[in-house]
Amino acid sequence: MDSVERPNWAPVDIDLGRPSIARVYDYWLGGAHNFAIDRAVGDKVLADVPILRNVILNHRAFLRRAVRYLLAQGIRQFLDLGSGIPTVGNVHEIAQAVDPDAKIVYVDIDPVAVAHSRAILTGNESVNVLQTDVRDARGVLKSPEVQDLLDFDQPIAVLMIALLHFVPDTDDPHGIVAAYRDALPHGSYLAVSHAGYEDGEWNPAWDDARGTYNRGVSEMTYRRKHEVEALFDGFALVDPGVARLPLWHPESPDDVDEGAARFLGFGAVGRKS
């Protein structure tokens, strides 16, 4: 029996007595789909890596800005890879506020994230949720969840937000991106946010923070700016190209503080011509 009362949004097959990384992320983002045990884990990691919450919030803020940019370009179809629990200003909320018919497919390998997603999105016929490994591009693209909802005769935006830094070089992130790119119609877009730094900028103190994160959450691979740019082979980068996350289309000057130019991560959007 669960030690906490099960709310109506929590799937019946989820063990509420065990922490979930997906729900920890939801907690860090200020969401409501988490429990005391998730918050305890989240607080422990933040005590060791206090800048982590700001980093995660910046990735989520980039997601919001990128989706709004894509909507302004006429995009109405989104494939969100490594989506986690879709709460707190996620893709369907932003897109369907502009166009209620906008279509979104969320993809994640985490069964807890997928179970919560399906429970939250019950009744939204313009959103599908797929549980699979996003590294299997063919499997994702040929799945009924994608094929039944997205129209490959029309542009699609593929979102890889805070995803590829969890894909080591041995898993060929360039090949993974290329497999999605090659399946997209012309006029489609790719949006990426990625942990990284400029050449010659590495601070040895970051190794400690990364080690703590790797042990407490998941293994991460930092990449340099030119390596992030290389992921956009076959896409034309939109202005301002690969930029520090806070500097990519900030919503207001107040969002850009003195640390923005040194932020440990990049964001970019590219268009397939």
Side-chain angles (χ1 to χ4, degrees), residues 51-171:
I51 66 169
L52 182 58
R53 188 191 294 272
N54 179 59
V55 170
I56 290 171
L57 289 173
N58 266 281
H59 281 276
R60 183 50 56 99
F62 170 79
L63 169 67
R64 291 194 296 268
R65 299 196 304 273
V67 170
R68 291 187 184 115
Y69 173 87
L70 294 164
L71 288 164
Q73 310 312 306
I75 298 297
R76 294 296 184 270
Q77 302 187 104
F78 298 86
L79 179 59
D80 188 359
L81 303 176
S83 53
I85 298 174
T87 59
V88 193
N90 218 300
V91 180
H92 71 282
E93 296 176 345
I94 300 166
Q96 292 181 347
V98 172
D99 185 344
D101 294 326
K103 295 176 171 57
I104 301 93
V105 179
Y106 291 116
V107 185
D108 206 291
I109 197 171
D110 183 344
V112 174
V114 169
H116 282 294
S117 300
R118 288 174 175 159
I120 294 165
L121 296 165
T122 297
N124 191 330
E125 296 182 356
S126 293
V127 182
N128 279 344
V129 182
L130 171 63
Q131 181 183 346
T132 195
D133 191 332
V134 300
R135 293 172 295 184
D136 178 14
R138 178 177 174 80
V140 170
L141 295 166
K142 296 299 183 182
S143 68
E145 289 84 354
V146 170
Q147 289 292 316
D148 293 349
L149 190 64
L150 302 185
D151 179 1
F152 279 76
D153 290 328
Q154 299 297 323
I156 297 168
V158 172
L159 310 175
M160 298 183 175
I161 308 302
L163 170 68
L164 292 172
H165 50 233
F166 296 120
V167 179
D169 291 338
T170 52
D171 284 347

Side-chain angles (χ1 to χ4, degrees), residues 209-220:
R210 178 171 58 179
T212 300
Y213 185 87
N214 288 353
R215 290 188 298 272
V217 185
S218 184
E219 290 286 331
M220 178 185 290

